[in-house]
Amino acid sequence: MTLPAVADCVFCKIVAGQIPCFKLLEDDATIAFMDINPVNPGHALAVAKGHWPTVDVIPAEVLAAVATTAQRIAKAVMAKLRPDGVNLMQANGPGAGQSVPHLHIHIIPRRPGDDLLFNWQPRAVERAEIEAVWHRLKAGL
Ligand code: 5GP
Ligand code: ZN
């Protein structure tokens, strides 16, 4: 199967071997490597080999393969680096902080007091507010 690729995409270049990376593993559909600007030691990426920008357009079976690769990396991180915890994070679109529009899952080891910003405080909302959004969302399923 020919995978979609985009010439000026940095992850497509890594997949094609045109840019080096600290590769952890690869299979037919995915590749995993160390993030070049880690937020914590051990920060790695599980990446689809084909170029699909976001979760809404990637084939479900490829997304499942990326998730499986992320799980393998997370297990190794837990076993070998013994962090306090691990976050899996996946961004879609600039509003979500996505800087490389080629689907990937971050594997982020956590350290006590690292203060990474995606640990939000829960917000108290009325049940009706949740219900209203629930109705809108269900209509899209
Ligand atoms: P995003 O912001 O799209 O969720 O995450 C993109 C990630 O890719 C960032 O954490 C960034 O450090 C990483 N990244 C960008 N360019 C490269 C590169 O050339 N090599 C590697 N290994 N990681 C990269
Ligand atoms: Zn790409």
Side-chain angles (χ1 to χ4, degrees):
M1 172 188 170
T2 308
L3 295 172
V6 167
D8 65 354
C9 169
V10 67
F11 287 175
C12 285
K13 286 182 178 169
I14 289 174
V15 169
Q18 295 162 357
I19 293 180
C21 69
F22 291 105
K23 185 160 67 181
L24 291 160
L25 62 83
E26 69 177 317
D27 57 25
D28 285 352
T30 72
I31 183 169
F33 48 82
M34 305 306 292
D35 195 295
I36 201 77
N37 290 123
V39 292
N40 265 343
H43 180 179
L45 302 169
V47 180
K49 279 191 171 173
H51 184 98
W52 290 281
T54 48
V55 70
D56 52 325
V57 296
I58 193 168
E61 64 274 17
V62 183
L63 181 62
V66 180
T68 299
T69 292
Q71 183 190 37
R72 286 183 65 189
I73 303 302
K75 284 173 140 179
V77 164
M78 289 167 171
K80 297 295 183 187
L81 306 184
R82 300 251 169 230
D84 213 35
V86 174
N87 283 110
L88 299 187
M89 206 280 285
Q90 193 270 320
N92 299 280
Q98 187 179 23
S99 59
V100 178
H102 176 135
L103 192 130
H104 53 281
I105 298 175
H106 295 258
I107 300 97
I108 303 177
R110 300 301 304 271
R111 302 287 173 199
D114 62 18
D115 286 335
L116 295 188
L117 292 177
F118 46 71
N119 283 3
W120 62 88
Q121 289 298 320
R123 195 170 59 92
V125 298
E126 295 296 327
R127 192 185 166 91
E129 188 181 327
I130 299 170
E131 190 175 2
V133 182
W134 174 67
H135 280 299
R136 289 173 58 200
L137 200 46
K138 276 212 310 172
L141 293 173

